[in-house]
């Protein structure tokens, strides 16, 4: 699918949802270094769903709020439950790049206060779900991809709607909001491989307005 998206202009994958190929190409080393720094403060962990399922992707967060999941449910918290401390602040470079990506996709005034940091080892994925824990759904979701490629599935507002599948590769950004803000989406299991900068992992930064 990569050839389909091989140009510089944002590509619509659904109404108000755009893929920015290679948007992070000049910033990848800095982003990966910041991920290492942030997760030394709030380490990666495998969270549990309210039903007791262990998520296959390891997670952390930065920003004013972090996303957490446990027996009490899904929610945003100002405190990292693993360390008992506030999450590390959102780096200025993360904020600027996420705002630039949102602007490029036509979403103006994006000001995220939360960044979910995901680490996918080979075999890890994420099942079909909506991002609906945020009260202000006028704000988009901005998602950075680094490391190993993955097949991403993007559907509609109902679980049974057809899914569009396409590759997210190192340096890509996906932005969705507006008419597609509550669309279902999933990450297919990551295939084994080694990326020259990220190793045998895929990293994902997902920027959101939690409050």
């Amino acid at each position: 699918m990569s050839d389909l998206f091989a140009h510089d202009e944002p590509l619509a994958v659904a109404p108000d949802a755009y893929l920015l190929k290679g948007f992070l190409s000049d910033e990848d080393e800095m982003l990966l270094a910041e991920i290492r720094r942030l997760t030394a403060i709030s380490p990666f962990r495998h969270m549990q769903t309210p039903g007791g399922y262990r998520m296959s992707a390891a997670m952390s967060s930065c920003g004013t709020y972090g996303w957490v999941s446990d027996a009490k449910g899904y929610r945003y918290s100002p405190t990292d439950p693993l360390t008992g401390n506030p999450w590390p602040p959102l780096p200025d470079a993360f904020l600027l790049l996420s705002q630039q990506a949102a602007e490029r996709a036509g979403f103006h005034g994006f000001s995220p206060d939360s960044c979910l940091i995901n680490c996918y080892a080979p075999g890890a994925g994420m099942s079909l779900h909506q991002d609906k824990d945020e009260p202000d759904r006028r704000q988009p979701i901005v998602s950075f991809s680094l490391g190993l490629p993955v097949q991403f599935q993007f559907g509609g507002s109902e679980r049974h709607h057809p899914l569009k599948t396409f590759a997210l590769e190192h340096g890509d950004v996906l932005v969705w909001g507006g008419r597609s803000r509550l669309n279902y989406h999933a990450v297919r299991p990551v295939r084994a491989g080694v990326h020259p900068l990220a190793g045998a992992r895929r990293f994902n930064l997902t920027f959101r307005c939690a409050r």
Side-chain angles (χ1 to χ4, degrees):
M1 297 292 289
S2 297
D3 290 343
L4 177 64
F5 299 123
H7 54 73
D8 295 331
E9 291 303 310
L11 282 142
V13 298
D16 301 320
Y18 296 93
L19 177 60
L20 312 179
K21 290 297 295 182
F23 187 84
L24 305 170
S25 297
D26 296 333
E27 310 291 348
D28 52 357
E29 292 187 54
M30 177 274 294
L31 290 168
L32 289 166
E34 282 287 71
I35 290 171
R36 289 191 292 272
R37 182 184 69 82
L38 292 164
T39 55
I41 300 169
S42 283
F44 283 120
R45 78 293 306 262
H46 291 273
M47 295 187 187
Q48 302 284 330
T49 69
Y53 173 77
R54 179 181 182 268
M55 294 184 174
S56 62
M59 300 181 181
S60 184
S61 288
C62 63
T64 305
Y65 300 98
W67 187 85
V68 298
S69 174
D70 55 25
K72 298 177 182 177
Y74 305 121
R75 64 194 181 280
Y76 286 98
S77 170
T79 303
D80 179 351
L82 186 65
T83 66
N85 298 320
W87 299 97
L90 187 71
D92 290 343
F94 280 23
L95 177 61
L96 179 61
L97 284 168
S98 66
Q99 290 175 326
Q100 289 175 339
E103 186 83 17
R104 185 82 180 277
F107 295 97
H108 310 292
F110 183 56
S111 185
D113 53 14
S114 178
C115 174
L116 179 60
I117 308 170
N118 290 334
C119 177
Y120 294 82
M126 195 164 290
S127 61
L128 198 64
H129 67 283
Q130 296 170 296
D131 289 349
K132 59 181 182 180
D133 298 322
E134 303 78 28
D136 185 358
R137 294 172 188 165
R138 297 170 299 177
Q139 298 290 336
I141 303 292
V142 176
S143 176
F144 291 4
S145 289
L146 297 163
L148 293 177
V150 73
Q151 292 295 309
F152 189 85
Q153 294 182 308
F154 201 76
S157 59
E158 301 291 338
R159 185 178 290 273
H160 65 272
H161 286 172
L163 298 172
K164 180 180 293 185
T165 302
F166 52 90
L168 289 180
E169 299 173 310
H170 181 78
D172 290 351
V173 177
L174 187 63
V175 182
W176 69 94
R179 291 167 289 174
S180 291
R181 175 61 180 77
L182 290 178
N183 282 23
Y184 280 87
H185 52 282
V187 177
R188 299 293 299 158
V190 174
R191 294 181 179 178
V194 177
H195 186 273
L197 293 179
R201 296 288 186 272
R202 173 188 184 249
F203 296 97
N204 168 241
L205 303 175
T206 303
F207 298 88
R208 305 167 177 174
C209 294
R211 290 293 183 273

